[in-house]
Amino acid sequence: MKSGTKPRREGGRIPSISHSRRLATAMLALTILGPMFALAQVPPRFYWQSLSGANAVPVIFQSLSGNANPMDPAYVISPDVSGSVDANVAIVGYAKMLPLFDRTLTLAVLEPMGRISGDAIVDGRSFSQDATGFGDPMIELGINLIGPKAMKSIPDLLRYEPKLSLNAIVDIAFPIGEYDNDQVLNLGQNRWYGRVGAPIVWQIGPWVPGRRTTLEVLPSVWFFSDNNDYSGGRTLSTDPMFQLEAHLTRDFTEHFWGSLDSTWMAGGESSIDGAGLDSLNNLGVGLTLGYQINDNISLTAGYMATVNDSDPGDLQMDGFRISFTYGWHKIVEGQKRLKAAE
Amino acid sequence: MKTKFTLIAAIAGALALTTAIAQSASPSGPATGKRPNIVIILGDDLGYSDMGCFGSEIKTPNLDSLAKAGLRCTQFYTSASCSPTRSMLLSGVDTHLNGLGNMDEWAAPNQWGVDGYEGYLNNRVTTLPQVLKDAGYHTYMVGKWHMGKSPDKIPAARGFERDFALLDGAGSYWDMANFTAANPRSTFTEDGRYLKSLPKDYYATKTYTDKIISHIEANRGDGKPFFAYVSHQAPHDPYHLPRNWRNRHVGQYDKGWDVVRKERLQRQIEMGIVPKGTELAERMWFLPDATLLAPAARAIMGKKMELYAGMVENMDHHVGRLIDYLKKIGEYDNTIFIVFGDNGAEGADLFKMIAGTPGTRNFLFASMEWSQTHPNAWGDPHTYVGYGPMWAQVSMTPFSHYKGLMGEGGIRNGLIVSGPIVKQAPGTINRSVMHVADIMPTLLEVAGASYPKTVNGQEPPPLIGKSWVKMLAGEAESPRSEQDYLAWEIFGNRAVRQGDWKLRWQYKPYGTEEWELFNLATDLAERHDLAAQHPEKVKTLLALWDDYVRANNVILPSRVLWEGQAKQLPDRYPVVDGYPPLLYQKQFIPPPNMLADPKP
């Protein structure tokens, strides 16, 4: 776990405030997309319900490149300085499904960790920053409002069809991740943030493995508190930001599926010490392939990139994501043990 | 191809004409007055207790409405298998003489080439539609035929003016898919021509109903009565069903087969279908007590029954469409309805028999065409679901056994008769012994027709049935006397019934391979073999059996489908509810005031 700023060319000095602002502007733009690539962008089919009592440990690895920091909502690399950021982030989590008044309650915690490095050329000078360690942990609380009742038995699971399901989720990130106020590239963000959202899963056609099709939409609003120790003690403020994720998923076989993904973010105008930056209006598109390896393990691999990024000042980012999820339930595991003993 | 079909059709037409001329020797001519229309609704593998009016929880309001207006008959018999029943329905002649001495699919080597065992309705018999047509009826047929596929054997050649027929014994409800590599496509005919494809939006039960209505509609108003044979494929497996019919009983059958059987029996007693005190037949010895199964197992097996119930309800819905149509055109009140299932409910795993084992061509075929096995897909094309012996026993409540076997569950079925020939109080329950072969003489009498003295230049085999007309009119208790008897043989299993006594012989492991004697007046479930106590009755019934064998050229098969089953199934022991107690004992809960923590 370390963080530091080191000059790559012509000595080491932190970019001037104007340069930092320009950097912050670009990175803030990416911050809006940042959750898409980092914490907030969940894989397709994430909000399908499962058997009450089921447990899951997701491990998500992301490799991202762009002109902003995907982990920091205020770090900007101005396009006219040709900044770039690379991030290799892993997110490990735990999720459990429980029944609550016959509805499915989902509790999840996600912890990001990894390495970020960024380049910036300001006034002909290039600087490199990097940060490693743990980011801000996030918890998610979700409950199904419309859709099948909580699945309390395997027969319920056998009969599960989402049809039209609507959940309500609340995410809260705790500002305890690695943070160094001497630099603008950090894994932690030194402020509270979170979102409220309403994931919707709409089953299209039959719910038969090999033929399942879903349209999944997640509208959400992100909220940020101020970071009062931002890059040298300044104050970073960010307005609420609207995000809309959408996935059109389709089975190819019983265990293999694909998804067309998109995410759009708007708003979230930030300011540093009262100086406003641009608000966001970014669209990313991508695709995901998923495979259920066995009863316990599923795998997804995806790619996403910004598309409205042709202007020099636009956010440019793309990233690969691979996720493993290990799930288990004591009934299923018990049956396996008995079968193995036969 | 077109030329070939034209030629086939010409041959079929010529044969039909020849047959018609040969058979028209002795019609008695149309009776005076407006003769009733006749609709026979046949449910394929429909069980005795599957209609609401016979005690089912399955909702069949349209069939029930026929029962409410007419008569329910509780001692109606068929063969234990389908095409033999159909052959007796349409010929009135015993199966061993009419060509279906055995099912075509299971004919034994010693039966090959023997008259009466051709595997199709042979040309020595005439048919009900042929005689009715000669007597001035329009004759229409839709649905399953299963009595021959070549041009001289199809419905158009056997007396039906119009048809839309599945010639095979079963198949997809959605398309032309059939079950084996050798017979991958079902064969259909429409009005005597073999179909190259099926109509758009084809679904068997719906399309059959559409077609029969269109047949009736086409000739409506010409003054002639019609005979409509609605031979539904439903509810025979595979349970193919539109999605909106699949989820009408979700979770209802998770309670298990024994509970549902008890509930049905209770309703049957309350309705008067069976007498008070009737026992349930023993659960088949190889079936578990459902209460001991895990919820998931019960749910999966229950879902099969949910689907079956949907099949029956969907069929009832389409029967309702036909009823509504007849009411709309003013013909309902002048229409006789005869409704029944063709044999006991299906307890065998037909798909397993068909698909075979890995490495066989049928297994490969099933892998390609019939391998959609997920429960959520059940009902779709390419799925094959049957509900198994546990639910077949439910369908045959309160009887023992099911299709193919000689227990009452194999051969007895619920019968509804309604219409102008029924002159008893609406909703009456009749308990006289009746047989599917009775329908031919009954309807000939209704139509004012008579059985021809020659068929194709030869004297036809005798009708074995008895007309119901007097009984339906309330002028007789029963179409049979106490001396009349019925006898059965299929797949080597055999039985004979006279009065309340029934003698039964079945292959192991389902039977003892000894003659067993039951008194059906007191033992509908055939639990108590009385052969040792009543040797004189055994002797009497054996003499009748011998008489039946001689009169009908019964040739017991040298090979049977029961071969090897004693080794495949568990050893047979009596099934006693609650045994062994070990599996049923519950947690002991001590008195609360005697609870204590361990002492240090």
Side-chain angles (χ1 to χ4, degrees):
Chain A
M1 287 182 286
K2 61 175 185 176
S3 63
T5 302
K6 53 186 180 183
R8 208 168 66 179
R9 294 185 211 163
E10 302 181 24
R13 84 173 172 85
I14 298 172
S16 66
I17 186 67
S18 58
H19 299 149
S20 297
R21 184 173 296 153
R22 280 181 287 173
L23 286 169
T25 303
M27 287 306 276
L28 187 59
L30 185 58
T31 300
I32 302 306
L33 198 58
M36 173 183 79
F37 293 106
L39 292 178
Q41 170 68 31
V42 295
R45 301 188 168 187
F46 187 82
Y47 289 103
W48 290 13
Q49 293 174 44
S50 188
L51 190 59
S52 292
N55 306 274
V57 171
V59 179
I60 305 167
F61 178 76
Q62 294 179 310
S63 177
L64 308 158
S65 293
N67 58 358
N69 175 10
M71 304 296 291
D72 184 350
Y75 196 147
V76 174
I77 296 176
S78 178
D80 58 353
V81 295
S82 303
S84 66
V85 172
D86 292 317
N88 292 304
V89 181
I91 302 165
V92 178
Y94 171 75
K96 188 173 185 75
M97 292 196 171
L98 298 166
L100 180 68
F101 303 120
D102 269 348
R103 311 310 304 179
T104 299
L105 177 72
T106 307
L107 299 171
V109 57
L110 295 167
E111 172 59 49
M113 62 196 79
R115 181 178 299 116
I116 306 172
S117 61
D119 296 332
I121 300 171
V122 180
D123 297 332
R125 299 169 61 197
S126 177
F127 296 90
S128 175
Q129 287 189 336
D130 63 63
T132 60
F134 292 96
D136 299 328
M138 175 180 278
I139 62 168
E140 178 168 296
L141 184 67
I143 188 161
N144 174 258
L145 300 176
I146 297 172
K149 289 181 179 177
M151 289 175 274
K152 298 175 185 173
S153 66
I154 292 181
D156 293 342
L157 182 65
L158 292 169
R159 293 179 178 124
Y160 169 70
E161 293 191 26
K163 295 180 179 168
L164 181 63
S165 295
L166 170 68
N167 290 5
I169 59 166
V170 176
D171 294 345
I172 299 173
F174 296 84
I176 57 175
E178 297 284 337
Y179 185 76
D180 182 349
N181 66 357
D182 286 338
Q183 63 174 32
V184 290
L185 256 181
N186 279 295
L187 284 156
Q189 297 180 32
N190 196 41
R191 61 177 175 174
W192 294 85
Y193 66 98
R195 69 171 170 176
V196 293
I200 297 166
V201 177
W202 182 26
Q203 169 189 339
I204 302 170
W207 197 251
V208 178
R211 290 192 279 151
R212 291 170 300 197
T213 302
T214 60
L215 178 62
E216 301 172 13
V217 181
L218 170 52
S220 61
V221 178
W222 287 86
F223 299 94
F224 305 89
S225 69
D226 290 347
N227 177 358
N228 295 314
D229 191 17
Y230 174 70
S231 185
R234 291 171 294 164
T235 296
L236 170 67
S237 301
T238 305
D239 291 343
M241 179 192 78
F242 175 74
Q243 181 180 11
L244 182 66
E245 287 182 44
H247 308 282
L248 180 63
T249 84
R250 169 71 182 173
D251 282 353
F252 301 132
T253 70
E254 290 191 17
H255 303 294
F256 182 42
W257 55 270
S259 170
L260 297 175
D261 310 317
S262 68
T263 190
W264 173 60
M265 284 154 290
E269 182 178 347
S270 289
S271 62
I272 298 173
D273 284 343
L277 305 175
D278 292 340
S279 62
L280 300 169
N281 185 5
N282 298 104
L283 179 65
V285 298
L287 55 86
T288 302
L289 295 174
Y291 185 73
Q292 182 82 32
I293 296 174
N294 57 34
D295 289 346
N296 297 106
I297 302 172
S298 64
L299 167 70
T300 70
Y303 176 77
M304 183 168 264
T306 52
V307 289
N308 56 339
D309 57 2
S310 55
D311 292 340
D314 287 340
L315 174 68
Q316 297 174 5
M317 180 154 283
D318 72 331
F320 292 95
R321 181 190 63 239
I322 294 175
S323 74
F324 292 91
T325 302
Y326 187 91
W328 72 95
H329 191 286
K330 64 179 182 181
I331 293 177
V332 177
E333 298 308 304
Q335 287 180 340
K336 284 182 181 174
R337 286 193 294 274
L338 287 175
K339 272 192 170 180
E342 282 179 357
Chain B
M1 186 60 79
K2 188 176 178 181
T3 305
K4 189 176 178 181
F5 272 105
T6 305
L7 181 62
I8 290 169
I11 294 169
L15 285 168
L17 184 62
T18 307
T19 307
I21 291 169
Q23 294 178 345
S24 62
S26 59
S28 63
T32 55
K34 190 176 181 184
R35 291 176 296 174
N37 307 304
I38 301 160
V39 174
I40 293 178
I41 294 171
L42 189 58
D44 198 359
D45 292 354
L46 181 68
Y48 181 87
S49 67
D50 282 335
M51 292 185 276
C53 55
F54 277 85
S56 183
E57 72 293 334
I58 298 172
K59 294 177 179 58
T60 55
N62 296 296
L63 294 167
D64 296 350
S65 73
L66 298 176
K68 195 175 176 185
L71 198 66
R72 278 168 289 174
C73 303
T74 63
Q75 298 210 64
F76 172 71
Y77 287 99
T78 63
S79 170
S81 192
C82 69
S83 50
T85 290
R86 291 156 199 274
S87 70
M88 289 192 286
L89 165 66
L90 293 189
S91 73
V93 171
D94 186 81
T95 61
H96 303 86
L97 298 175
N98 70 23
L100 274 301
N102 201 340
M103 286 187 68
D104 185 35
E105 295 85 348
W106 295 100
N110 65 328
Q111 296 170 332
W112 295 347
V114 177
D115 288 349
Y117 296 82
E118 292 89 344
Y120 54 84
L121 195 60
N122 64 33
N123 62 6
R124 287 181 294 282
V125 298
T126 189
T127 65
L128 178 61
Q130 185 64 57
V131 179
L132 291 177
K133 187 164 72 171
D134 295 343
Y137 269 71
H138 286 300
T139 54
Y140 311 130
M141 184 265 168
V142 291
K144 175 175 158 180
W145 178 246
H146 203 194
M147 287 184 292
K149 291 183 178 178
S150 60
D152 59 329
K153 301 177 183 69
I154 58 179
R158 302 312 305 254
F160 286 105
E161 278 176 60
R162 305 285 309 275
D163 72 272
F164 185 94
L166 166 70
L167 301 186
D168 298 80
S172 168
Y173 286 66
W174 296 110
D175 50 35
M176 297 180 101
N178 212 283
F179 308 132
T180 65
N183 183 40
R185 272 167 63 92
S186 297
T187 307
F188 288 82
T189 58
E190 182 164 25
D191 297 340
R193 305 298 296 265
Y194 293 87
L195 290 180
K196 292 187 285 188
S197 62
L198 292 171
K200 285 182 180 174
D201 302 324
Y202 174 81
Y203 173 71
T205 314
K206 172 188 171 294
T207 303
Y208 298 155
T209 307
D210 293 343
K211 292 290 182 182
I212 201 70
I213 289 173
S214 73
H215 293 165
I216 297 168
E217 179 68 15
N219 292 316
R220 179 158 72 95
D222 69 359
K224 291 173 69 174
F226 64 82
F227 166 60
Y229 174 36
V230 185
S231 175
H232 277 299
Q233 196 175 333
H236 194 296
D237 52 336
Y239 301 154
H240 284 174
L241 193 59
R243 286 196 166 267
N244 56 332
W245 289 88
R246 296 178 197 172
N247 296 319
R248 298 159 65 97
H249 295 270
V250 173
Q252 185 176 340
Y253 294 107
D254 289 12
K255 53 193 168 191
W257 33 90
D258 285 344
V259 175
V260 181
R261 277 209 301 160
K262 286 173 185 167
E263 291 171 348
R264 286 195 180 189
L265 176 60
Q266 183 58 37
R267 282 191 292 269
Q268 288 176 325
I269 291 171
E270 290 166 4
M271 289 175 171
I273 300 294
V274 298
K276 194 175 178 183
T278 298
E279 286 183 284
L280 275 178
E282 182 180 279
R283 186 177 67 243
M284 297 297 248
W285 74 97
F286 51 85
L287 296 174
D289 177 352
T291 62
L292 298 178
L293 296 178
R298 289 210 304 269
I300 284 291
M301 288 191 247
K303 190 177 173 77
K304 294 180 178 182
M305 185 63 192
E306 292 168 19
L307 221 60
Y308 178 83
M311 297 288 293
V312 176
E313 291 180 354
N314 177 265
M315 185 180 77
D316 177 81
H317 165 75
H318 289 290
V319 169
R321 288 178 55 217
L322 177 59
I323 291 172
D324 289 346
Y325 166 74
L326 293 175
K327 286 180 177 174
K328 184 179 162 191
I329 64 171
E331 292 290 344
Y332 175 77
D333 290 336
N334 192 39
T335 300
I336 298 167
F337 282 87
I338 300 174
V339 183
F340 60 99
D342 63 341
N343 42 244
E346 177 63 274
D349 188 343
L350 195 59
F351 183 67
K352 192 176 178 184
M353 283 194 277
I354 293 167
T357 53
T360 63
R361 64 177 182 174
N362 279 348
F363 189 84
L364 178 63
F365 180 78
S367 303
M368 292 186 293
E369 300 296 332
W370 292 96
S371 58
Q372 182 52 268
T373 57
H374 193 278
N376 285 2
W378 289 354
D380 287 352
H382 308 293
T383 62
Y384 198 116
V385 177
Y387 62 6
M390 63 292 284
W391 296 115
Q393 277 204 282
V394 169
S395 286
M396 300 315 294
T397 301
F399 305 129
S400 58
H401 298 161
Y402 39 74
K403 181 179 179 180
L405 300 167
M406 280 298 155
E408 293 291 282
I411 56 178
R412 197 191 284 209
N413 228 292
L415 171 74
I416 298 169
V417 184
S418 72
I421 57 168
V422 179
K423 296 187 170 52
Q424 302 187 40
T428 295
I429 295 175
N430 181 280
R431 297 180 179 81
S432 59
V433 175
M434 301 162 75
H435 191 268
V436 65
D438 299 341
I439 292 173
M440 177 91 164
T442 302
L443 296 182
L444 294 192
E445 188 175 345
V446 166
S450 60
Y451 192 56
K453 293 193 168 38
T454 60
V455 174
N456 293 323
Q458 293 183 324
E459 183 182 356
L463 296 179
I464 60 169
K466 306 282 184 181
S467 172
W468 301 338
V469 171
K470 284 187 178 175
M471 184 272 287
L472 295 173
E475 297 167 5
E477 281 286 312
S478 168
R480 288 187 164 71
S481 70
E482 283 295 307
Q483 283 67 49
D484 288 329
Y485 74 90
L486 295 175
W488 298 262
E489 186 282 323
I490 185 76
F491 310 136
N493 292 330
R494 57 210 90 145
V496 58
R497 175 174 178 175
Q498 185 183 46
D500 291 329
W501 292 93
K502 177 181 175 185
L503 195 64
R504 189 182 85 184
W505 190 103
Q506 289 203 139
Y507 274 98
K508 290 178 180 176
Y510 299 96
T512 60
E513 298 185 3
E514 301 283 347
W515 286 102
E516 299 170 280
L517 180 71
F518 302 98
N519 185 338
L520 297 177
T522 56
D523 184 19
L524 278 177
E526 296 170 276
R527 279 177 169 263
H528 309 290
D529 176 12
L530 303 175
Q533 291 99 307
H534 297 280
E536 76 294 343
K537 184 56 74 177
V538 173
K539 189 176 175 185
T540 302
L541 291 172
L542 274 177
L544 295 176
W545 168 256
D546 290 338
D547 178 59
Y548 174 72
V549 169
R550 278 192 302 274
N552 296 286
N553 190 32
V554 175
I555 298 172
L556 295 175
S558 57
R559 296 289 304 274
V560 292
L561 59 88
W562 319 110
E563 293 167 353
Q565 292 205 10
K567 289 182 180 173
Q568 294 168 11
L569 292 168
D571 290 344
R572 184 168 182 175
Y573 298 101
V575 175
V576 179
D577 287 344
Y579 181 85
L582 169 69
L583 299 179
Y584 296 88
Q585 287 167 348
K586 293 184 177 174
Q587 173 71 49
F588 174 71
I589 300 175
N593 60 349
M594 293 185 69
L595 294 173
D597 293 321
K599 292 177 181 174

